[in-house]
Amino acid sequence: MRYACNFTISKALKFGVVAAQGSLKSSLNLKLTFKPSRNIHMENKENSSSRGALIVLEGLDRCGKTSQSSRLYKYLDEQGYSVESWRFPDRNTGVGQMISSYLANQSHLDDHAIHLLFSANRWEKRMLMEDKLRSGTTLIVDRYSYSGVAFSSAKGLDIEWCKAPEIGLLAPDLVVYLDISPEKAAERGGYGGERYEQLEFQKKVAKSYLTLHDSSWKVIDATLPVEDIEEKLREIVLDSITICQKGKLLSQLRSS
């Protein structure tokens, strides 16, 4: 009788061990079954490419870029977009302060040297710019690479040489050119306060800009009433932001 009892206990223990092993194996299999699903979820999250848009306003001095950039920023902010207003040159950096002194006619530099400083000023902000865009912030930028190339080539520098230091900067999602004749711009208040605000030079800059235009640029007549310009600008900028939110990839300037 004692033997039978011991045998029964032994069988029960054996059965318990086997059951425990089976349960553990089942548990491991269950974890393995869910693991691929977790990976797929993470991959989908990492591949989410919704981002902010890089919007650049270009044009001759006194074409209204700064005013329209400010108006556009205020509008997008009020609509609930994550948005920042930038301007080049950024005079708050060390390089930017050297450029500011030059533009105010307080210092003199070789044309090649000042062009490279303008380019370096943009490179100073390149990493921050990409971080902002990837985080979903739209950037409204008053002047960018095109200004650097247009103004330097207007001085007589080789245009391809002027483009070279810009290769690798982020390419704008939208370039809006505010079109005005040099003569009309010269009639606006404050004209002539900085080095480049000279009518004959601005005529050369306008010709240089023409060589940079391509089908991706949007041109707005800068002589229209301010409110009309603002309305046209809002429409094309909102379209660009929507495209970026849907996953448009970032690209590099003149990478080809």
Side-chain angles (χ1 to χ4, degrees):
M1 188 72 179
R2 183 182 299 170
Y3 173 80
C5 182
N6 289 341
F7 177 77
T8 302
I9 294 172
S10 176
K11 285 183 67 177
L13 289 173
K14 184 176 181 180
F15 177 80
V17 170
V18 170
Q21 288 175 337
S23 177
L24 178 60
K25 184 177 180 181
S26 176
S27 176
L28 288 173
N29 286 339
L30 186 62
K31 288 182 180 179
L32 289 173
T33 300
F34 282 105
K35 188 175 181 180
S37 298
R38 185 166 63 248
N39 285 346
I40 291 172
H41 176 72
M42 289 174 68
E43 287 170 2
N44 287 341
K45 185 176 181 180
E46 288 172 0
N47 287 336
S48 176
S49 52
S50 176
R51 61 174 180 83
L54 178 54
I55 310 297
V56 171
L57 273 65
E58 289 281 4
L60 299 179
D61 289 339
R62 303 298 167 178
C63 69
K65 295 183 298 16
T66 302
S67 174
Q68 288 298 333
S69 293
S70 177
R71 287 169 173 264
L72 180 60
Y73 166 78
K74 182 179 179 182
Y75 169 75
L76 292 175
D77 183 58
E78 290 174 347
Q79 297 302 307
Y81 289 94
S82 176
V83 60
E84 291 184 10
S85 181
W86 287 27
R87 185 178 185 181
F88 285 109
D90 181 344
R91 306 189 190 206
N92 295 316
T93 70
V95 172
Q97 290 173 13
M98 294 174 66
I99 294 172
S100 183
S101 175
Y102 171 83
L103 292 175
N105 289 302
Q106 296 172 357
S107 64
H108 300 279
L109 292 167
D110 176 83
D111 289 339
H112 295 81
I114 190 61
H115 178 78
L116 293 175
L117 285 177
F118 271 105
S119 185
N121 190 234
R122 289 182 280 275
W123 277 102
E124 285 182 297
K125 306 300 290 290
R126 195 242 188 244
M127 185 177 296
L128 178 60
M129 177 180 282
E130 182 169 349
D131 288 344
K132 291 286 186 180
L133 293 171
R134 291 193 183 280
S135 72
T137 299
T138 286
L139 302 180
I140 307 300
V141 183
D142 181 352
R143 293 206 182 283
Y144 194 50
S145 172
Y146 309 99
S147 285
V149 174
F151 278 72
S152 291
S153 60
K155 298 177 187 177
L157 301 185
D158 179 74
I159 193 166
E160 295 305 319
W161 184 90
C162 293
K163 292 177 181 178
E166 309 293 289
I167 297 173
L169 290 173
L170 293 179
D173 297 297
L174 174 66
V175 178
V176 180
Y177 184 78
L178 297 182
D179 190 24
I180 190 172
S181 71
E183 291 81 7
K184 285 289 185 182
E187 295 173 1
R188 296 187 168 182
Y191 192 88
E194 289 196 331
R195 182 184 292 266
Y196 293 143
E197 292 179 353
Q198 305 298 327
L199 179 57
E200 292 306 312
F201 180 70
Q202 291 288 314
K203 290 179 180 178
K204 295 177 182 179
V205 173
K207 291 180 180 178
S208 292
Y209 265 125
L210 286 176
T211 68
L212 300 176
H213 280 217
D214 60 38
S215 59
S216 68
W217 285 36
K218 302 297 182 183
V219 179
I220 296 179
D221 183 352
T223 64
L224 292 172
V226 172
E227 293 76 14
D228 291 351
I229 297 173
E230 185 176 9
E231 183 178 350
K232 291 177 180 291
L233 187 58
R234 287 179 181 179
E235 182 179 351
I236 56 179
V237 166
L238 288 174
D239 285 344
S240 183
I241 291 175
T242 299
I243 292 172
C244 291
Q245 289 178 335
K246 290 181 177 179
K248 180 184 178 183
L249 297 177
L250 281 171
S251 60
Q252 294 183 354
L253 195 64
R254 305 187 181 96
S255 58
S256 60

